Amino acid sequence: PDELSMLGDKDLIKELNKKLVEDPKYPLPEGYKKHEDKQIELKYEMPTFPGVDQKYNHCMEVLDDVIHQALGVHIIEPISEYKTVLKARPVIIKPKLQPQFLNYDPHKPKKLPNLREREPSSDGKSKAAPRKKVFTEVKPKLNSGMKLLVANYGKPERMHVQEVAEVLEEVLQAVDQGKKEIGGRHRLGPGNIFNKALEMRMASQKEEKKQKDESEKKRKLRQQVLSKQIKAQEEKKSKEKAEKDEEEKKAKEKKATQQKKRAERLEKEKKEKEAKIKEFTEAKKEKKKEEKEKKDAEKATEDEKKKKEVGTFL
């Protein structure tokens, strides 16, 4: 940054003038001085006339205020007063002239410098040296508070502090814009003329970046919607699976209960059949035994009867 441009900064001078209005003893930074400036101040007040009551003057002043607030005009003729106001002005030290400029003759023909000096080539012929392009960086604009802080430093440190403040401003702008790094500064060509081709390219890059950011935002939004839908489907499937597993578990428990009851019924029927068979077998054995005893008793009776008949016959 140029020291003269820093001293002549209008925003900084306005901020210093505000400080002087608040406190005339405010110490100005190095490179500035206090200057008394006379300003005309208009007051809309009624002058005092002999024989006129002061209440009339107060009423006229109140009426003037009401009309000015409503219509923007005054009905009282203004009274001008000169007021001394302190203002800040930069102290510019004129550079000393070099010895070659002391005997300057304006009528002497000027010799224009050769902007493209000739350089000897390998074959002995001279060739024009390439033109040097001078570019000016577009620096970030500091606010009045930051400029005032920079101006409070001394002249030897002010240039360095100005550069640090500009870098800090770029960092804050990058943070506000959500960037992860600070981009390069724009450059102006000779005469502070902006390159149209570079401007178009930067505009196209900005538009591409904007479209890319919008597409990325849409992609993230679509991904969020899809992830929510997939999550809802998974929750639905897991819920259905849990319900199905619960139903299968209940069915298995019901089937196991039925099988257990059936097994108990079959076991009971089996025991009943075995008991009936056993009872039938025992009854049959008892019947056979009784029949056998009856037959044996009848046979014994017949034998006894035969014996008696044989004994009678003999």
Side-chain angles (χ1 to χ4, degrees):
D2 188 9
E3 184 177 356
L4 292 177
S5 63
M6 290 175 59
L7 290 174
D9 193 305
K10 293 182 179 180
D11 295 335
L12 179 57
I13 293 174
K14 285 182 180 179
E15 192 68 24
L16 292 174
N17 290 334
K18 289 181 181 179
K19 295 290 183 181
L20 290 175
V21 170
E22 295 174 359
D23 183 12
K25 296 182 180 180
Y26 179 78
L28 295 180
E30 185 180 358
Y32 293 91
K33 65 179 181 178
K34 295 179 182 179
H35 174 74
E36 291 185 355
D37 190 10
K38 290 185 178 181
Q39 293 182 352
I40 298 175
E41 185 178 358
L42 299 178
K43 292 185 177 181
Y44 295 90
E45 296 178 353
M46 287 292 295
T48 56
F49 295 102
V52 178
D53 193 359
Q54 193 68 21
K55 297 179 181 178
Y56 173 78
N57 293 341
H58 292 327
C59 293
M60 287 296 297
E61 291 174 0
V62 171
L63 181 62
D64 180 75
D65 291 338
V66 173
I67 294 176
H68 181 261
Q69 291 179 2
L71 303 177
V73 294
H74 291 276
I75 61 174
I76 299 176
E77 185 177 357
I79 300 174
S80 60
E81 291 183 358
Y82 286 96
K83 184 179 180 182
T84 303
V85 180
L86 289 177
K87 288 192 175 182
R89 282 190 178 181
V91 179
I92 300 175
I93 301 174
K94 294 182 179 180
K96 295 181 180 180
L97 293 176
Q98 299 295 330
Q100 61 267 24
F101 295 106
L102 293 176
N103 299 324
Y104 174 72
D105 186 5
H107 301 288
K108 188 177 181 179
K110 298 178 181 179
K111 183 181 179 181
L112 297 176
N114 189 4
L115 298 178
R116 303 186 69 186
E117 297 179 354
R118 300 280 176 173
E119 295 181 359
S121 59
S122 58
D123 55 358
K125 297 180 180 180
S126 61
K127 61 179 182 178
R131 291 185 178 181
K132 296 181 179 179
K133 295 183 179 180
V134 180
F135 293 95
T136 305
E137 290 184 346
V138 180
K139 297 174 182 178
K141 188 176 180 181
L142 304 178
N143 55 29
S144 57
M146 187 75 75
K147 290 179 181 178
L148 186 60
L149 291 175
V150 173
N152 287 330
Y153 285 86
K155 283 186 177 181
E157 303 173 352
R158 193 174 294 170
M159 306 291 285
H160 178 66
V161 174
Q162 175 78 8
E163 294 178 357
V164 173
E166 290 173 356
V167 175
L168 178 61
E169 183 67 22
E170 289 179 338
V171 171
L172 295 176
Q173 290 178 4
V175 171
D176 291 339
Q177 296 173 4
K179 296 180 180 178
K180 295 183 180 179
E181 58 183 11
I182 303 174
R185 293 179 178 177
H186 302 318
R187 296 192 301 173
L188 299 176
N192 292 341
I193 300 174
F194 199 79
N195 192 340
K196 293 292 182 182
L198 181 61
E199 184 180 6
M200 292 172 63
R201 187 175 66 184
M202 290 176 62
S204 65
Q205 289 178 356
K206 189 176 180 180
E207 187 66 24
E208 288 177 0
K209 186 178 182 300
K210 185 178 179 181
Q211 292 178 359
K212 188 177 179 181
D213 293 340
E214 288 179 356
S215 61
E216 183 68 17
K217 188 177 180 181
K218 290 180 181 178
R219 187 189 66 80
K220 288 183 179 179
L221 183 62
R222 186 167 59 250
Q223 187 176 3
Q224 289 179 359
V225 173
L226 290 175
S227 61
K228 286 182 180 179
Q229 291 178 354
I230 292 171
K231 187 177 180 181
Q233 290 179 358
E234 289 179 351
E235 290 178 354
K236 185 178 179 181
K237 286 182 179 179
S238 62
K239 188 177 180 180
E240 290 177 352
K241 186 179 179 182
E243 291 177 355
K244 188 176 180 181
D245 293 341
E246 188 69 21
E247 290 178 357
E248 290 180 354
K249 185 179 179 181
K250 289 180 179 180
K252 286 181 180 180
E253 290 177 354
K254 186 177 180 180
K255 187 176 180 180
T257 306
Q258 291 176 354
Q259 289 178 355
K260 186 178 179 181
K261 289 181 178 180
R262 184 180 178 187
E264 290 177 354
R265 189 178 71 252
L266 292 174
E267 184 69 23
K268 186 177 179 181
E269 290 177 354
K270 183 179 178 183
K271 287 182 180 179
E272 289 177 355
K273 286 181 179 179
E274 288 178 353
K276 287 181 179 181
I277 291 170
K278 186 177 180 181
E279 184 179 355
F280 178 76
T281 304
E282 290 178 355
K284 192 174 181 181
K285 285 181 179 179
E286 188 70 24
K287 187 176 180 181
K288 285 182 178 181
K289 186 177 179 182
E290 290 177 355
E291 289 178 351
K292 186 178 180 182
E293 290 177 355
K294 186 176 180 181
K295 286 180 179 180
D296 292 340
E298 289 178 353
K299 188 177 180 182
T301 306
E302 288 179 356
D303 290 339
E304 186 69 28
K305 187 176 180 181
K306 285 179 180 181
K307 283 181 182 182
K308 286 182 178 181
E309 287 179 356
V310 170
T312 305
F313 179 75
L314 294 174

